Amino acid sequence: MYKGDNVNRISLAKRINNNKRGYLIINSNQGKHKIALIGTVINEYNDLAKEAKGCLENVLVIGFAETATAIGATVASSKQTLFMQTTREDVPGCEGEYINFTEAHSHAKMQRIIKADMDRAYTQVEKIVFAEDEITTGNTIWQCIEKLEDIYKDKKKYAIVAIINALSQERREFFKEKNIDIVSLVDLNTYSFEEDVRNIVENGAVYSIYSGEDKLPCYDGEEFLQKKDMTVDNIIFKTEVQTRRLMNIKKLDDEIKKLIIYLETEYGLKEILEDAKSITVLGSEEFTYVPFKLAEYIDINTDEDTKVYTHSTTRSPIMACSESDYPLHTRYEVRSLYCKNRQTYVYDLKKSDILFLVTDGSDEAGFESVLEAIRISGNRHVYIIRWSNEEQL
């Protein structure tokens, strides 16, 4: 049962080697795993923020990594609230103190919140709002709530905002009994999903660019670019804002505006965009809100017929299938931009006139790997925009 005309946005993909959950719900409007026009993504996120406006007074919004960090930040930005995200990374400057919980069905089970940040936020707000792309059991959120109440010996108000609500009736009743409001755009019944993906076979294109060796040759400027028949401009934006830390979301929004001014004044961004008819802005793993906002700016400042797309690298291993009604057709297996020994993925890279890779990652072997995927997909004009601070991941 869907609210409104939402059926076409939802499809199923098959996870690779996941015994807990064989399917992955793909939302073609989200711009995470599946490439999407930024205008579609903006509408999706803003629609959720509008639905959630009644539960956003005096709150902390927590966006779940990695798929809902931009969703959570957009919801927080709609009311200029406090914002933080969960993370799977080791975040510099937090002395290794985290509130840990697990996401049992995920490819990467560990989830955590920086404890010092939660210590500061907990006494400032009346309610904590968890933002997700989808909620299927609610177990991860409930586990987080139990951890918070055990640590702080207090009971806050809670709410969940998610694009997709796939909770069973039993779980809906559970959260209702706990007085936890749930706001969503789409209602789904997942009872047949495991069976629906059972017979999907991998017959799409797969490019394995990741190597299990300790090190790939480092990205070394002009020699690499000439060899790969691709021009790459490397732009470093120095900032004190660490996106995985607690902040009023206005601080991040203001810093993104500074980034755009920097790109305009130092690199002539508007002139770069003048003749482009297709542009892709690619984020990285948990780092999705800054790329999302840059893509939004580009969409506003280009001709009406210019297509601006967005999506992101991800830790999620998903089958690639050539069937027309399957959501993901090509998988690129690449090194992470955060850890050279971690395999990550990007799906269905599009050949664009310009591609912006926007990241706070710093692993050079990862850059070479991702750039090779970008080159294979036909992109020849690439701008790497590094969100760089002293406490780099």
Side-chain angles (χ1 to χ4, degrees):
M1 182 82 180
Y2 293 88
K3 298 174 183 174
D5 186 20
N6 295 316
V7 176
N8 291 336
R9 65 155 71 118
I10 304 301
S11 56
L12 293 182
K14 187 174 183 177
R15 297 175 187 260
I16 297 174
N17 298 327
N18 191 316
N19 295 324
K20 291 287 186 180
R21 185 175 298 167
Y23 66 87
L24 184 70
I25 299 169
I26 301 292
N27 178 0
S28 64
N29 293 359
Q30 188 181 340
K32 173 57 179 174
H33 302 105
K34 184 177 176 64
I35 191 167
L37 287 168
I38 185 60
T40 301
V41 181
I42 292 167
N43 289 337
E44 188 87 337
Y45 291 8
N46 286 346
D47 285 349
L48 182 63
K50 289 173 185 175
E51 288 289 323
K53 65 181 180 181
C55 63
L56 294 177
E57 295 298 330
N58 194 14
V59 303
L60 165 67
V61 176
I62 299 178
F64 268 76
E66 60 177 33
T67 51
T69 53
I71 295 169
T74 302
V75 170
S77 184
S78 70
K79 294 287 282 188
Q80 298 287 276
T81 72
L82 285 179
F83 174 73
M84 66 189 303
Q85 65 163 81
T86 69
T87 185
R88 296 182 172 108
E89 304 291 353
D90 293 322
V91 179
C94 67
E95 289 75 46
E97 292 189 12
Y98 301 97
I99 300 170
N100 296 289
F101 49 103
T102 58
E103 192 170 3
H105 64 271
S106 179
H107 48 281
K109 294 179 172 54
M110 180 186 70
Q111 283 275 21
R112 55 194 185 183
I113 295 169
I114 297 169
K115 186 176 184 301
D117 289 353
M118 182 56 75
D119 289 347
R120 287 194 294 129
Y122 200 83
T123 57
Q124 295 184 46
V125 300
E126 293 181 0
K127 182 186 290 185
I128 296 174
V129 176
F130 299 97
E132 272 282 27
D133 56 329
E134 64 181 66
I135 178 171
T136 49
T137 66
N139 289 337
T140 307
I141 290 174
W142 181 245
Q143 186 185 142
C144 182
I145 290 171
E146 287 187 310
K147 284 286 182 76
L148 294 177
E149 293 187 346
D150 181 59
I151 291 168
Y152 298 105
K153 311 301 180 186
D154 189 15
K155 290 186 179 293
K156 290 286 182 190
K157 296 177 181 177
Y158 301 99
I160 301 168
V161 298
I163 293 175
I164 297 169
N165 182 351
L167 291 174
S168 67
Q169 189 58 42
E170 179 183 2
R171 293 300 288 172
R172 290 171 194 243
E173 290 298 326
F174 171 84
F175 284 104
K176 185 177 181 180
E177 290 171 5
K178 301 295 184 182
N179 294 314
I180 298 173
D181 294 327
I182 299 174
V183 175
S184 63
L185 297 180
V186 181
D187 283 348
L188 280 184
N189 187 328
T190 66
Y191 75 95
S192 67
F193 285 5
E194 291 288 350
E195 186 63 30
D196 290 344
V197 301
R198 191 179 306 278
N199 295 322
I200 292 172
V201 296
E202 180 151 277
N203 58 11
V206 177
Y207 296 91
S208 186
I209 305 164
Y210 175 86
S211 170
E213 299 174 2
D214 288 341
K215 186 177 180 182
L216 284 172
C218 286
Y219 166 64
D220 58 356
E222 291 303 318
E223 180 181 349
F224 175 82
L225 305 186
Q226 291 171 11
K227 181 176 68 173
K228 298 302 183 184
D229 186 30
M230 180 171 66
T231 61
V232 178
D233 285 278
N234 193 40
I235 299 170
I236 298 175
F237 175 68
K238 292 189 178 298
T239 174
E240 295 181 356
V241 176
Q242 164 50 282
T243 60
R244 288 166 180 79
R245 301 303 302 260
L246 172 71
M247 69 187 88
N248 188 303
I249 195 64
K250 185 179 185 300
K251 182 177 181 180
L252 180 54
D253 286 338
D254 287 347
E255 197 71 1
I256 294 170
K257 292 175 184 176
K258 291 179 184 177
L259 167 64
I260 290 169
I261 292 170
Y262 177 71
L263 294 174
E264 288 177 340
T265 57
E266 299 297 323
Y267 292 91
L269 179 59
K270 287 185 178 179
E271 289 74 21
I272 289 170
L273 301 173
E274 274 182 355
D275 297 324
K277 295 304 179 186
S278 62
I279 300 166
T280 295
V281 181
L282 184 68
S284 60
E285 299 183 44
E286 297 177 6
F287 189 79
T288 56
Y289 184 61
V290 176
F292 163 78
K293 296 300 287 184
L294 177 61
E296 181 181 30
Y297 163 88
I298 292 170
D299 195 49
I300 292 169
N301 288 277
T302 50
D303 294 339
E304 193 172 317
D305 60 346
T306 299
K307 304 295 186 184
V308 182
Y309 299 90
T310 188
H311 60 141
S312 174
T313 65
T314 175
R315 290 196 190 192
S316 297
I318 310 167
M319 279 194 180
C321 179
S322 63
E323 299 299 323
S324 60
D325 59 348
Y326 187 80
L328 303 173
H329 303 105
T330 303
R331 181 174 73 250
Y332 302 87
E333 300 172 348
V334 297
R335 287 182 182 272
S336 172
L337 296 171
Y338 302 91
C339 173
K340 67 181 180 182
N341 296 319
R342 182 162 81 216
Q343 184 168 350
T344 54
Y345 310 87
V346 61
Y347 299 91
D348 291 352
L349 280 164
K350 186 178 185 63
K351 180 180 179 181
S352 301
D353 295 329
I354 300 171
L355 187 143
F356 293 91
L357 172 60
V358 187
T359 181
D360 62 348
S362 59
D363 187 87
E364 295 299 332
F367 277 107
E368 180 172 354
S369 181
V370 174
L371 283 170
E372 178 64 3
I374 289 169
R375 186 195 71 82
I376 290 171
S377 61
N379 292 278
R380 293 294 178 264
H381 301 286
V382 180
Y383 292 84
I384 299 173
I385 300 174
R386 304 195 193 202
W387 184 272
S388 176
N389 50 57
E390 291 183 2
E391 296 184 339
Q392 198 74 19
L393 289 175

